Amino acid sequence: MLVDYHTHHYRCGHAQGQLGAYVEAAIQAGLLEIGLSDHSPIYHLGSDPHPLPGTAMSEREFPAYLQDMHEVRERFRERIAVRLGVESDYVLGWDEHYRTLWNAMPLDYVIGSVHWLGTWSIFSPELPPGRSAEDVYEEYLRTTQAAARSGAYDIIGHLDCLKTRGHLPDLSITPLLEETVQVIAESGVTIELNTSGWRKELGAPYPREELLALCRHHGVPVTLGSDAHRPEDVGANFAEAAALLERVGYTSVMRFSERKRSELPLQ
Ligand SMILES: [Zn+2]
Ligand SMILES: [Zn+2]
């Protein structure tokens, strides 16, 4: 019995389906818990009007999302545990904003993801003008360290996501990457094994096996997320994920309730 802590729904503008459909899919997949974690508004780019429709929820929509999550949790209470979360951006310098924002909300957990380096999206096909891949990679890792230290998050999302568009210049374990994993370990945050990379051309999860093994080596706890953008992807690739976790030495995954984590043994 596993948990899926990374899912989306129609409100972000690029995922399909209602929250309830994701919960139904989790029951079908035989999961123990499902976490709802749609994309938060992109606060650092401005909120009204929506800076980038189709990328994340609008700020106006957020209260309805919270209400909808509560309703769904009650509706399925007898059948599966539904955890209330959000996938938040992290942007350098926005620590206080996100810490205050999420602490004031009745959430079970918050995923902090580095999707943006300032105004540049890591999913852009091109590098920012005048920047090298090495330089962008360094900023990405420093931003990830700051996200871990910010105190705003329980989980760091898709750790090596910079590889999605081929912007990761070095797949080896560099000193700065090792330092980043150490910072994550000292910060006490959890990472996720995000299976969505297996469903993309990449054919590899986030983080890649070598990096996951390094996290294990430094004692960083892990949880599981499909990053489903359609209900049918809830729990996708979890058999491979569980095998990978065991291969690198993990014996448990984390689950969250009211921002506190507890361990779920893998066997
Ligand atoms: Zn998305
Ligand atoms: Zn993400």
Side-chain angles (χ1 to χ4, degrees):
M1 293 281 265
L2 295 169
V3 297
D4 186 345
Y5 269 80
H6 195 147
T7 61
H8 296 278
H9 82 310
Y10 77 90
R11 281 193 178 87
C12 70
H14 60 273
Q16 299 156 17
Q18 304 273 346
L19 293 176
Y22 286 80
V23 178
E24 288 282 5
I27 295 168
Q28 294 301 317
L31 297 180
L32 184 67
E33 291 184 6
I34 169 116
L36 306 172
S37 62
D38 207 9
H39 296 283
S40 70
I42 312 172
Y43 296 99
H44 76 289
L45 296 182
S47 47
D48 204 7
H50 196 307
L52 284 170
T55 307
M57 231 182 298
S58 71
E59 199 169 343
R60 266 187 226 172
E61 193 95 52
F62 204 79
Y65 168 63
L66 280 175
Q67 200 178 3
D68 196 7
M69 286 200 295
H70 278 94
E71 188 276 318
V72 164
R73 179 170 67 185
E74 290 313 308
R75 178 149 49 99
F76 288 92
R77 189 172 280 286
E78 304 297 318
R79 299 172 66 198
I80 190 169
V82 177
R83 302 300 177 196
L84 277 45
V86 64
E87 181 183 16
S88 166
D89 290 311
Y90 174 76
V91 181
L92 277 180
W94 283 69
D95 303 45
E96 184 61 36
H97 169 84
Y98 284 115
R99 202 166 43 233
T100 308
L101 183 71
W102 303 135
N103 281 345
M105 290 195 191
L107 297 169
D108 289 310
Y109 69 101
V110 180
I111 302 175
S113 294
V114 179
H115 296 127
W116 295 93
L117 301 179
T119 57
W120 182 74
S121 162
I122 66 164
F123 303 113
S124 307
E126 309 288 341
L127 289 169
R131 303 276 304 271
S132 69
E134 288 75 16
D135 162 39
V136 167
Y137 185 35
E138 178 172 342
E139 185 180 343
Y140 176 76
L141 291 180
R142 299 243 177 251
T143 305
T144 300
Q145 292 183 14
R149 286 197 180 108
S150 70
Y153 308 114
D154 306 292
I155 301 166
I156 296 297
H158 43 61
L159 207 49
D160 57 359
C161 205
L162 203 51
K163 71 187 175 197
T164 308
R165 290 300 198 125
H167 300 317
L168 201 61
D170 189 348
L171 280 170
S172 65
I173 304 298
T174 64
L176 186 58
L177 181 56
E178 179 136 29
E179 179 190 302
T180 302
V181 172
Q182 277 164 351
V183 167
I184 291 171
E186 286 158 16
S187 306
V189 291
T190 298
I191 58 153
E192 64 167 354
L193 175 54
N194 182 312
T195 65
S196 67
W198 266 314
R199 304 191 299 280
K200 298 176 187 167
E201 269 175 49
L202 276 175
Y206 309 103
R208 58 193 184 276
E209 180 159 351
E210 296 73 17
L211 181 50
L212 185 69
L214 185 68
C215 290
R216 168 67 190 139
H217 175 75
H218 286 282
V220 178
V222 71
T223 192
L224 264 173
S226 64
D227 212 339
H229 282 72
R230 340 175 275 174
E232 55 266 46
D233 284 339
V234 170
N237 308 91
F238 272 25
E240 291 110 296
L244 171 56
L245 287 172
E246 285 178 20
R247 193 157 68 239
V248 302
Y250 278 105
T251 56
S252 64
V253 291
M254 293 296 155
R255 47 187 177 160
F256 295 83
S257 178
E258 297 179 350
R259 310 290 305 267
K260 289 186 183 64
R261 76 178 173 214
S262 59
E263 235 173 313
L264 176 69
L266 275 169
Q267 289 199 334

